[in-house]
Amino acid sequence: MQGVLFDLDGVITDTAKFHFKAWSRLAKEKLGVTLPASFESDLKGISRIDSMNRILKFAKMENKYSADEVDAMAQYKNELYLKEIGKLTQTDIFPGIENLLDELAVNKVKLSVASASKNAPFILEKLGLREQFDAIADPAKVAHGKPAPDIFLEAAAKIDVDPTKCVGIEDAKAGVEAIKSAGAVAVGVGDSNDLKEADSVVASTEELTYSVLEQAFRK
Ligand code: XGP
Ligand code: MG
């Protein structure tokens, strides 16, 4: 194991709930629909524009708006989301993550971020974690969002490690699929029924240690 590729939302910190809150408000205000709670997991790992399109499809309004109008709605959601995450501090880092980053650094494993979110650099700054990572893959630079492998391939390339020598960590089904398609080893965080394709699953970030990742890699 020479590299670890981290998803951010739902792995490093609990921002998935803020994404869903903002998407729900947008759906209600602009489209007049209520998103069911189950939609939260449907949007995990999915890029901003793909999330917007899924919501339009749910509302049966796929063809109602121009591309500019759709962009404006997605931007409005981001403004709502930014208000929520402006308050993030180091205390919002999920349990076990800081310890894991320290252990990986001691073991000279390179660390890269493979988030679908364009807000990843801002969030890492707020959490005081920017310096712990060797690279952040830019989702604006990849052709296809998760479940395509692109963002994980880019994250591995940015630390100059072959994807097959990397472990990826994800809380989303689409993310686990992306890791596997990239040829890396997938460790899921969450419900093992949702993340069946992962090589190994832990229930919470507290269980993520160097040795757990190493064992998943050797499996
Ligand atoms: P960004 C976000 C999406 O808006 C959100 O729906 C996804 O759940 C999240 O990425 C996954 O990490 O992207 O709007 O912060 O760029
Ligand atoms: Mg996630």
Side-chain angles (χ1 to χ4, degrees), residues 1-7 101 104-105 107-114 124 130-138 150-169 182 184-185 213 217:
M1 180 172 71
Q2 293 172 11
V4 175
L5 316 173
F6 282 82
D7 175 44
L101 296 175
L104 290 166
N107 285 283
K108 310 250 177 296
V109 178
K110 293 243 185 93
L111 306 180
S112 195
V113 174
L124 291 175
R130 178 63 194 90
E131 298 306 315
Q132 266 84 326
F133 290 92
D134 299 292
I136 303 175
D138 181 356
D150 306 27
I151 193 79
F152 283 96
L153 294 174
E154 173 71 6
K158 281 197 107 169
I159 50 171
D160 206 18
V161 179
D162 192 276
T164 61
K165 297 280 186 284
C166 292
V167 170
I169 310 177
V185 170
L213 300 192
F217 185 76

Side-chain angles (χ1 to χ4, degrees), residues 30 34 61 85 139 142 156 189 202:
K30 306 281 179 192
T34 301
M61 294 178 188
I85 62 171
V142 304
V189 183
V202 295

Side-chain angles (χ1 to χ4, degrees), residues 2-218:
Q2 293 172 11
V4 175
L5 316 173
F6 282 82
D7 175 44
L8 191 156
D9 294 314
V11 167
I12 292 174
T13 185
D14 196 9
T15 32
K17 66 178 182 208
F18 296 133
H19 279 298
F20 189 60
K21 196 174 161 191
W23 282 128
S24 298
R25 189 163 149 198
L26 167 111
K28 188 90 210 137
E29 276 182 28
K30 306 281 179 192
L31 308 173
V33 295
T34 301
L35 297 180
S38 61
F39 225 79
E40 178 167 350
S41 59
D42 292 343
L43 298 179
K44 280 187 181 168
I46 307 301
S47 74
R48 190 181 306 170
I49 197 67
D50 290 347
S51 297
M52 186 69 238
N53 286 328
R54 281 189 189 203
I55 290 166
L56 287 169
K57 191 165 178 217
F58 171 79
K60 300 198 169 46
M61 294 178 188
E62 293 118 299
N63 303 314
K64 191 171 169 191
Y65 299 100
S66 70
D68 282 352
E69 286 170 327
V70 173
D71 276 349
M73 282 191 272
Q75 203 180 316
Y76 175 61
K77 177 268 172 179
N78 197 51
E79 283 159 21
L80 297 172
Y81 175 68
L82 286 175
K83 279 187 200 142
E84 300 281 349
I85 62 171
K87 295 167 233 153
L88 290 176
T89 68
Q90 199 174 354
T91 60
D92 295 299
I93 302 169
F94 266 146
I97 293 294
E98 286 172 287
N99 179 57
L100 174 66
L101 296 175
D102 290 345
E103 280 188 318
L104 290 166
V106 166
N107 285 283
K108 310 250 177 296
V109 178
K110 293 243 185 93
L111 306 180
S112 195
V113 174
S115 172
S117 172
K118 293 178 178 167
N119 295 301
F122 175 67
I123 294 174
L124 291 175
E125 286 293 344
K126 298 289 296 175
L127 300 176
L129 287 180
R130 178 63 194 90
E131 298 306 315
Q132 266 84 326
F133 290 92
D134 299 292
I136 303 175
D138 181 356
K141 293 218 173 94
V142 304
H144 307 104
K146 299 172 189 178
D150 306 27
I151 193 79
F152 283 96
L153 294 174
E154 173 71 6
K158 281 197 107 169
I159 50 171
D160 206 18
V161 179
D162 192 276
T164 61
K165 297 280 186 284
C166 292
V167 170
I169 310 177
E170 263 289 351
D171 67 318
K173 192 174 178 299
V176 166
E177 264 182 74
I179 296 171
K180 295 303 293 175
S181 316
V185 170
V187 171
V189 183
D191 186 338
S192 51
N193 292 317
D194 295 342
L195 306 171
K196 283 193 198 78
E197 286 170 48
D199 297 286
S200 179
V201 179
V202 295
S204 90
T205 54
E206 261 162 313
E207 293 167 53
L208 290 171
T209 59
Y210 173 75
S211 118
V212 163
L213 300 192
E214 205 14 50
Q215 272 170 41
F217 185 76
R218 285 175 190 282

